[in-house]
Amino acid sequence: MNTNIVILDDHSILVQGLKMMLENEKGFSVVATFLNGNNIVNFMEDHKVDIILLDVTLPGKDGIELCREVKLLFPECRIIMLSNHTERSIIVKCMQNGANGYLLKNISVNDLLQSIKEVMAGNIVFCNDTKKIISKILSNQPIEPINLTKREKQIIQLLAQGKTSVNIAQELFLSPLTVDTYRKNLLQKFQVKNSTELVSMAIQKNIIED
């Protein structure tokens, strides 16, 4: 079964290069390319799209806002941000808006292909450079150890894979309410506001396996 991919970037040379590369891979179909986000929603109303490779900087509506809009309308579609922006605030905002991953454009072809496969499997993906950026939350402060139970570590690992409380509950044979309680306790332990920051902190502290 083919993975239907849309590429959305305002650099036509990059778009064409990505299109040629992906179409040479078995199981991938590039069903459309766009240089801006004006027509993507209309296209998705009539076509099945599994993954969007989305740049942050676009003419008109930027990729961060477009990510939020697409996710609200088509929650099953996976979005991988593919950008040159290295600001942590932008990366976090993209993840808060529903992105399934954030890759820098200097990523290798093999890593891009693997990232697409990982996202289709339900995981959240970051390239190594992005992991380093988002892990600098407390880079100028001593890192205090956080004592976690085995169950808490399992839940953080599953959150990093993009799984919902319902998914985690099914996998660990718990109730969704119990998983939500664990998640809220973890937010307090790590002193963060949401699951994205929790995952970022866990990467910094080497709690999540690469």
Side-chain angles (χ1 to χ4, degrees), residues 42-206:
N42 290 337
F43 178 84
M44 293 181 70
E45 288 174 348
D46 298 320
H47 300 82
K48 180 178 180 291
V49 177
D50 299 307
I51 283 190
I52 301 174
L53 299 180
L54 177 61
D55 194 4
V56 168
T57 302
L58 296 169
K61 186 179 296 184
D62 67 37
I64 300 173
E65 178 59 25
L66 191 60
C67 177
R68 185 189 69 82
E69 181 180 343
V70 169
K71 275 295 191 176
L72 286 174
L73 296 172
F74 309 98
E76 296 302 314
C77 179
R78 277 87 161 183
I79 297 177
I80 299 177
M81 308 304 295
L82 189 60
S83 176
N84 284 324
H85 285 281
T86 57
E87 296 89 340
R88 180 185 172 273
S89 60
I90 289 178
I91 298 170
V92 171
K93 186 65 175 176
C94 288
M95 304 309 292
Q96 290 173 339
N97 280 9
N100 301 91
Y102 195 104
L103 309 175
L104 298 183
K105 287 182 178 178
N106 62 2
I107 191 173
S108 71
V109 172
N110 287 339
D111 284 346
L112 175 60
L113 295 174
Q114 184 59 36
S115 294
I116 292 173
K117 293 174 184 176
E118 288 288 327
V119 165
M120 286 303 298
N123 298 327
I124 293 173
V125 295
F126 299 112
C127 62
N128 287 334
D129 286 342
T130 305
K131 286 183 180 180
K132 291 175 184 177
I133 294 164
I134 63 175
S135 69
K136 291 179 179 178
I137 304 170
L138 297 174
S139 58
N140 295 322
Q141 303 176 25
I143 300 176
E144 298 294 332
I146 295 178
N147 294 322
L148 298 175
T149 65
K150 181 180 178 181
R151 180 68 79 196
E152 287 173 332
K153 290 179 181 179
Q154 287 177 320
I155 288 174
I156 292 177
Q157 191 76 43
L158 293 171
L159 284 172
Q161 294 171 9
K163 297 188 177 180
T164 65
S165 293
V166 173
N167 298 146
I168 295 171
Q170 291 172 344
E171 186 160 336
L172 300 181
F173 303 102
L174 300 171
S175 74
L177 182 60
T178 300
V179 174
D180 280 336
T181 300
Y182 271 113
R183 187 176 61 81
K184 289 175 183 176
N185 289 338
L186 284 166
L187 295 180
Q188 290 180 349
K189 275 191 176 184
F190 282 81
Q191 297 183 349
V192 293
K193 297 177 182 177
N194 53 54
S195 295
T196 300
E197 292 187 3
L198 174 61
V199 170
S200 301
M201 184 75 81
I203 291 171
Q204 181 191 13
K205 294 179 178 294
N206 297 318

